[in-house]
Amino acid sequence: MDIAVRYYSRSGNTRAAAEAIAKAAGTEAVSADAPDAALPGTVDILFVGGALYAYGIDRKLTEYLRSLKKEEVRKAVIFSTSWVSKHAIELIRKELEAKGIPVEDRTFYFRGKPGEKQLREAETFAKQFLA
């Protein structure tokens, strides 16, 4: 199974969640604005995450989501962190669905700075898709 983890994080909280998910999936978490963020071909599952910044997701994440092609992603799974709300999940979902990419109903979210408990929960969340 081909798995990819992509995210955008300003504070490092979403990056921490992405790294925990990537650890569970046996892959690397890559920032959406990194030179190697493009998918290496078709992936079975794309874990993708971001946070809410001033009522929207960061432009860099939006650009990345808009660069994806339906043929590259069999299913997307969304995760998010935030100090405010879960609204980033719906914004990410909207961008993916506009591209025709199937999106899993189950999502992962935690508020604030992650502790060990939240990072374990992120790993557990990811594992349910890998069986």
Side-chain angles (χ1 to χ4, degrees), residues 6-19 30-33 49-63 79-84 88 91 112-114:
R6 300 295 184 267
Y7 69 93
Y8 186 77
S9 181
R10 290 184 189 173
S11 68
N13 295 338
T14 304
R15 181 183 70 233
E19 289 172 349
V30 179
S31 180
D33 64 340
L52 193 65
Y53 304 109
Y55 304 105
I57 55 177
D58 191 276
R59 173 186 52 81
K60 293 175 184 175
L61 180 57
T62 300
E63 289 172 4
F79 63 96
S80 179
T81 66
S82 175
W83 289 100
V84 180
L91 297 174
K113 187 169 180 68

Side-chain angles (χ1 to χ4, degrees), residues 20-129:
I21 288 168
K23 177 181 172 187
T27 191
E28 182 181 350
V30 179
S31 180
D33 64 340
D36 58 342
L39 296 176
T42 301
V43 296
D44 296 304
I45 299 173
L46 170 63
F47 289 96
V48 61
L52 193 65
Y53 304 109
Y55 304 105
I57 55 177
D58 191 276
R59 173 186 52 81
K60 293 175 184 175
L61 180 57
T62 300
E63 289 172 4
Y64 178 77
L65 295 170
R66 291 180 180 169
S67 77
L68 294 172
K69 294 174 181 55
K70 178 181 175 180
E71 302 78 29
E72 294 177 319
V73 182
R74 291 202 171 96
K75 177 169 55 175
V77 179
I78 302 169
F79 63 96
S80 179
T81 66
S82 175
W83 289 100
V84 180
S85 80
K86 297 180 180 182
H87 187 59
I89 290 171
E90 292 311 313
L91 297 174
I92 294 168
R93 180 182 304 279
K94 180 180 174 184
E95 291 291 339
L96 292 166
E97 289 176 345
K99 300 293 287 188
I101 296 171
V103 180
E104 171 64 38
D105 290 334
R106 294 169 289 175
T107 61
F108 180 76
Y109 170 82
F110 64 81
R111 185 175 177 179
K113 187 169 180 68
E116 288 302 315
K117 178 180 183 264
Q118 289 85 6
L119 297 177
R120 281 192 308 276
E121 289 171 353
E123 286 184 47
T124 300
F125 172 76
K127 288 177 182 176
Q128 67 184 311
F129 299 99

